[in-house]
Amino acid sequence: MQELLKQISEAMQSGRAKLVKQYVTQAMEEQIPALEILNDALMTGMGVIGERFKNNEIFVPEVLVAARAMNAGIDLIRPLLAAGGMGSKGTAVIGTVKGDLHDIGKNLVRMMMEGKGIEMIDLGTDVSADRFYEAAMEHHAQLVCCSTLLTTTMAEMANVVSYFDQKGARDKVKFMVGGAPVTQSFCDAIGADCYTPDAATAAETALELLA
């Protein structure tokens, strides 16, 4: 059993989605619990990818390919997880702020957070403050993650935080901000809760915030 879980993890890390599906299917046929496949193979593998990414041993393309392979495996076991009542670690809304259409960084963060068992509501790009708010309320999200790549749209992050404030919902969520031009001092200045420099750290920090 351990050997098969290891094979799933290694296939996922090298981004071989077809092989991941084959091994996961085999694991399910051998009655390995879905939660073990998730935790001991897919999440463990994504943890390795996150560390290697953080240490600049691999780069964005390899992470995206590994994350797709992970999702291929998760898709197969999702019905079993749902049936077993595997609760998610929490819910987060994520999006690139209004005026910015970049999404590679956002997608990386979303995949890393999904790899930690967080349910992600991805609003895409060019997301206005009211859309962040509506989605957070609709899905009872505990986290709102705002991304930007442009210095010209950084102010939109401040708008998102103040919009929640105006609606009296600021204390209902934690705000995470990130992207190339964002800094810790900017995060502090707009009243957000957390800034992280990379996707792997963002996923780890999100878990801490949700705990």
Side-chain angles (χ1 to χ4, degrees):
M1 177 180 114
Q2 287 307 321
E3 186 55 37
L4 185 53
L5 292 173
K6 189 175 164 213
Q7 286 174 317
I8 294 170
S9 176
E10 286 171 357
M12 193 222 84
Q13 288 173 49
S14 52
R16 300 170 72 183
K18 274 187 184 166
L19 203 53
V20 169
K21 283 182 173 177
Q22 183 188 316
Y23 288 147
V24 168
T25 303
Q26 190 185 331
M28 288 160 71
E29 284 166 359
E30 291 182 19
Q31 308 282 309
I32 297 175
L35 207 50
E36 282 183 35
I37 299 171
L38 179 70
N39 291 330
D40 300 344
L42 297 170
M43 291 222 190
T44 306
M46 204 60 197
V48 173
I49 290 290
E51 276 304 307
R52 294 186 65 204
F53 179 63
K54 212 156 61 168
N55 297 332
N56 293 320
E57 292 166 27
I58 56 170
F59 301 97
V60 170
E62 291 97 326
V63 178
L64 291 174
V65 169
R68 284 192 197 108
M70 179 186 78
N71 286 334
I74 286 177
D75 285 344
L76 290 174
I77 58 171
R78 187 170 277 130
L80 298 175
L81 292 171
M86 186 257 178
S88 83
K89 303 265 171 57
T91 304
V93 168
I94 191 168
T96 306
V97 295
K98 190 176 172 185
D100 194 336
L101 299 173
H102 295 90
D103 69 353
I104 290 179
K106 169 189 69 69
N107 292 347
L108 266 181
V109 171
R110 187 197 78 224
M111 288 168 172
M112 290 280 189
M113 288 187 177
E114 283 174 343
K116 297 282 186 191
I118 300 169
E119 188 183 341
M120 300 302 292
I121 311 300
D122 190 347
L123 303 179
T125 61
D126 193 23
V127 183
S128 60
D130 59 327
R131 274 186 62 216
F132 274 113
Y133 172 77
E134 283 160 15
M137 294 303 108
E138 181 188 339
H139 297 281
H140 306 290
Q142 299 97 327
L143 265 185
V144 174
C145 308
C146 300
S147 167
T148 189
L149 191 68
L150 306 173
T151 47
T152 49
T153 52
M154 285 170 75
E156 274 303 317
M157 291 182 165
N159 290 344
V160 176
V161 177
S162 66
Y163 190 88
F164 276 74
D165 216 357
Q166 288 161 28
K167 292 285 186 181
R170 175 63 190 88
D171 58 345
K172 288 193 172 82
V173 298
K174 296 264 195 267
F175 286 95
M176 291 186 77
V177 292
V182 181
T183 60
Q184 183 61 54
S185 56
F186 175 77
C187 168
D188 297 340
I190 66 168
D193 297 286
C194 176
Y195 157 76
T196 57
D198 61 73
T201 314
E204 289 162 12
T205 308
L207 264 192
E208 289 166 17
L209 289 174
L210 289 168

